[in-house]
Amino acid sequence: MSFGTMVRYEFLRVVLSPLHRAAALTAVVVSVLGCLSYLVLLRQLTPGDGGTAVEAVQLALGKGSVLHLYAALHGALAVGAELGSGRAAQLLVADGRRGRWLAAKALVAAACVLPLQVVTAAVCVPLIPVLAGAETAGPPGLVLTVVLGGAANALLWIAYGTGLGVLLRGSPWTVPAVLALPFVLGQLFRALGASTRAPEWLSSVDPFRGAELLRAPLAVDAPLVLAPGDGADATVVYFAVFALGAAMMGARSFRIRDVNP
């Protein structure tokens, strides 16, 4: 089976599934409502302090968007479901190059998730400064910057989810693990960083701070780049290492384990 055939099969499987379409729509709606609701609540708690448009967009998208979770689950369930059910073995009988099968899954996941990022940014970015009562209007290129940062964020979450999906092979623990692991590790890093006994550098190693920044990679004084001088670039690198490390572990496990569950 050629790589193009694998991609077409996976794409049709996803697009024709009512469950996937419902999940995509839910992810967009929840992200938009989450961002806007977060800002409305924040404005009620801090009236008259809207800040700048860039600050409002970074805060709202960093806290309110759930598209990264949809991306991670998409990657994990795409490979885990077929590994767990044994359907993957049927597809790989004629073509044993497992890397192409994983690549097809990741490519289709990206093709499904990235348009959602564009829609969410196009809806949220113009509305966020208005709801936040921002003192200044958003600079040119704000939507494009959010889309590009969100795309990079989504691709890394897909890599993370795909790797974890291969490791767990469709077990009932797949969804809880994909959702809980970042939260637990993020809280652990924050707790260790806040401890007086921990080394100072530990507070800047939290990879999930980098993931949060990538959802809206903006700086108040230079809106098209990550905020300089506060370790933001390092945290993004740590998150990339974490996500790609999970993907490499999954790929390695896939190569050495039998396809059948």
Side-chain angles (χ1 to χ4, degrees), residues 155-175:
L155 292 175
L156 289 172
W157 280 106
I158 288 171
Y160 156 76
T162 302
L164 216 60
V166 174
L167 292 173
L168 296 174
R169 300 172 70 85
S171 75
W173 294 101
T174 300
V175 172

Side-chain angles (χ1 to χ4, degrees), residues 3 6 75 78-80 83 92 97-108 158 162-163 165-166 247 250-255:
F3 180 70
M6 288 185 177
V79 297
L83 285 172
L92 294 170
R97 284 171 285 189
R98 303 175 184 182
R100 297 203 310 180
W101 182 77
L102 282 178
K105 295 284 186 184
L107 181 62
V108 171
I158 288 171
T162 302
V166 174
R252 176 61 178 169
S253 170
F254 197 37
R255 292 177 67 91

Side-chain angles (χ1 to χ4, degrees), residues 30-35 38 59-66 215:
V30 170
S31 292
V32 172
L33 294 179
C35 293
Y38 187 85
L59 181 64
L61 285 175
K63 301 295 186 182
S65 176
V66 298
R215 290 176 223 166

Side-chain angles (χ1 to χ4, degrees), residues 71-193:
L73 285 174
H74 197 308
L77 297 178
V79 297
E82 292 193 358
L83 285 172
S85 65
R87 290 196 303 270
Q90 301 174 11
L91 295 174
L92 294 170
V93 166
D95 187 348
R97 284 171 285 189
R98 303 175 184 182
R100 297 203 310 180
W101 182 77
L102 282 178
K105 295 284 186 184
L107 181 62
V108 171
C112 293
V113 172
L114 296 186
L116 305 184
Q117 178 65 30
V118 176
V119 171
T120 303
V123 173
C124 287
V125 172
L127 291 177
I128 286 173
V130 177
L131 288 179
E135 299 172 359
T136 60
L142 189 59
V143 174
L144 178 60
T145 306
V146 171
V147 168
L148 293 178
N153 181 65
L155 292 175
L156 289 172
W157 280 106
I158 288 171
Y160 156 76
T162 302
L164 216 60
V166 174
L167 292 173
L168 296 174
R169 300 172 70 85
S171 75
W173 294 101
T174 300
V175 172
V178 170
L179 296 179
L181 185 60
F183 175 78
V184 172
L185 289 179
Q187 294 299 317
L188 178 62
F189 274 108
R190 290 176 177 86
L192 292 176

Side-chain angles (χ1 to χ4, degrees), residues 219 221-222 225-232:
D221 54 349
V225 295
L226 286 167
D230 63 353

Side-chain angles (χ1 to χ4, degrees), residues 33-47 60 127-128 130-132:
L33 294 179
C35 293
L36 302 184
S37 300
Y38 187 85
L39 280 178
V40 171
L41 177 61
L42 187 66
R43 191 174 184 182
Q44 292 176 349
L45 296 177
T46 57
L127 291 177
I128 286 173
V130 177
L131 288 179

